[in-house]
Amino acid sequence: MPTYMALILAAGKGTRMHSDKPKVLQTVLGEPMLASVVAALRPAFEGNIFMVVGHRAEMVRAAFPEGRFVLQEQQLGTGHALAQALPVLQGKGCTHLLVVNGDTPLLSEAIVSGFLEKAKGADLAFATILLDEPGAYGRVVRRDGKLMGIVEAKDYDSKALGAATGEVNAGMYCLSLDVAARLLPRIGNDNKSGEYYITDLVALALEDGLDVRGIACGHDESLLGVNSPRELSHAEEIARARIIDGLLSTGVIIHAPELVRIGPLACVEPGAEITGPCEIYGRSEIRRGAQVASHCVIRDCVIEGGAEIRSFCHLEGAHVSQGALV
């Protein structure tokens, strides 16, 4: 019976972010993108989660002091990252590996578990999505419906391979460690970027007659990576709307919900009342019956029931007792 561990690729610099921080530490609603990926994986993998780090690795290690890391000293591509991690992963008692990118802050537990279920029995599986504008994503190549491989955008030749269908690689893979060990030495870097791509494993596995599956995930934006400030802003807005919609469905009273920003670690109980614009971040707890007026910023606070936070308050690390007026 297969057993699983997870590997997060988090070594990239993220040049298009124009920031000194590693891309995976860019924040979405007050938390690093990488934290959202770890949270999505934790229910299925518990402690069997490893991260490949490279650019400003010390910053990533400091942000995740309990993490398990593999160092990629030279960033030579995703295939190279997996090759660097493989010796560490072997011998851990697991047979299969889930590989995901660290810049996918919208990844969810449901997506991970659904993908793993569909990947059962495959030697190699990868997620695909449909995009009207495939941009820089690797193109999934099929002929008469038969999977042929993945070609990175820079190397895609429509004359030789046919017009793109809009089906692209979503950057999530599941494969056996034995298959990885067998195929990784055969990956080359004869491409326009001069990198070793994990996507080349697909064609190699097909050549060997292995069970390879491209698992279609429709148009789900949750698997899209973040590569620029515009994409970061777009992902953050999707995450914000999801959290607000979830709180409204549980019974939280939210006025001007489109102006309320609540982080993924915050807990707001049904019956609490919040008015936008307002920001609630960190491990804040807003208890039932508490009221938070507009133009407030609350971070890592506990607001007890019956407490009232008037407009234009900024609270950090505070505990507001029941019935208090701030």
Side-chain angles (χ1 to χ4, degrees):
M1 186 167 184
T3 53
Y4 296 86
M5 62 178 65
L7 181 69
I8 304 173
L9 305 182
K13 182 178 180 180
T15 305
R16 283 186 282 165
M17 294 302 301
H18 300 283
S19 171
D20 292 332
K21 284 196 301 187
K23 181 170 64 169
V24 294
L25 295 187
Q26 298 296 332
T27 59
V28 172
L29 298 173
E31 303 297 330
M33 284 196 288
L34 184 54
S36 298
V37 179
V38 172
L41 296 175
R42 190 176 289 119
F45 297 94
E46 297 181 352
N48 279 333
I49 301 173
F50 294 80
M51 308 178 204
V52 178
V53 293
H55 175 68
R56 305 297 297 270
E58 71 285 353
M59 292 182 67
V60 182
R61 291 179 189 270
F64 296 86
E66 298 180 358
R68 305 174 76 178
F69 299 96
V70 177
L71 180 63
Q72 184 188 20
E73 293 186 9
Q74 292 180 287
Q75 283 74 69
L76 302 178
T78 53
H80 179 258
L82 178 55
Q84 297 297 294
L86 192 60
V88 178
L89 302 177
Q90 290 173 319
K92 298 294 184 183
C94 294
T95 62
H96 286 68
L97 178 67
L98 180 80
V99 183
V100 298
N101 293 324
D103 62 354
T104 51
L106 300 178
L107 189 67
S108 68
E109 176 188 350
I111 290 172
V112 171
S113 60
F115 175 74
L116 288 175
E117 182 64 29
K118 293 177 181 177
K120 280 184 178 178
D123 296 302
L124 170 62
F126 62 96
T128 78
I129 52 177
L130 293 171
L131 295 178
D132 294 332
E133 297 293 335
Y137 289 91
R139 275 52 162 179
V140 177
V141 179
R142 298 182 190 269
R143 288 179 185 160
D144 300 322
K146 183 180 178 181
L147 178 65
M148 303 302 293
I150 302 171
V151 179
E152 295 299 325
K154 290 181 180 179
D155 302 297
Y156 189 83
D157 184 345
S158 60
K159 291 182 179 179
L161 299 170
T165 63
E167 186 182 16
V168 302
N169 172 41
M172 181 162 64
Y173 315 85
C174 183
L175 70 164
S176 79
L177 289 175
D178 288 343
V179 167
R182 194 165 84 215
L183 298 183
L184 277 170
R186 292 161 56 186
I187 290 180
N189 65 342
D190 184 16
N191 52 64
K192 290 185 178 179
S193 295
E195 295 185 353
Y196 297 88
Y197 292 132
I198 195 173
T199 49
D200 287 351
L201 292 176
V202 174
L204 291 172
L206 288 168
E207 285 177 15
D208 284 6
L210 300 179
D211 182 351
V212 183
R213 303 176 195 171
I215 297 174
C217 298
H219 292 80
D220 196 337
E221 290 184 294
S222 300
L223 288 166
L224 293 181
V226 169
N227 296 294
S228 68
R230 183 181 298 278
E231 291 174 358
L232 180 67
S233 177
H234 180 65
E236 187 169 52
E237 176 55 25
I238 292 174
R240 185 205 67 79
R242 287 179 180 176
I243 290 173
I244 296 303
D245 185 65
L247 292 175
L248 288 168
S249 67
T250 65
V252 178
I253 301 168
I254 305 179
H255 305 281
E258 69 280 0
L259 300 177
V260 175
R261 298 164 61 84
I262 298 178
L265 303 181
C267 175
V268 184
E269 295 183 351
E273 187 170 357
I274 299 169
T275 300
C278 177
E279 299 176 61
I280 301 172
Y281 297 130
R283 297 188 179 277
S284 294
E285 299 179 30
I286 314 297
R287 303 277 168 76
R288 179 184 180 89
Q291 297 181 56
V292 180
S294 67
H295 299 89
C296 289
V297 177
I298 296 173
R299 187 183 302 274
D300 295 317
C301 296
V302 176
I303 312 298
E304 298 286 359
E308 182 182 352
I309 312 299
R310 294 276 177 91
S311 294
F312 298 99
C313 287
H314 187 140
L315 287 74
E316 293 195 19
H319 190 142
V320 180
S321 297
Q322 189 170 1
L325 175 64
V326 179

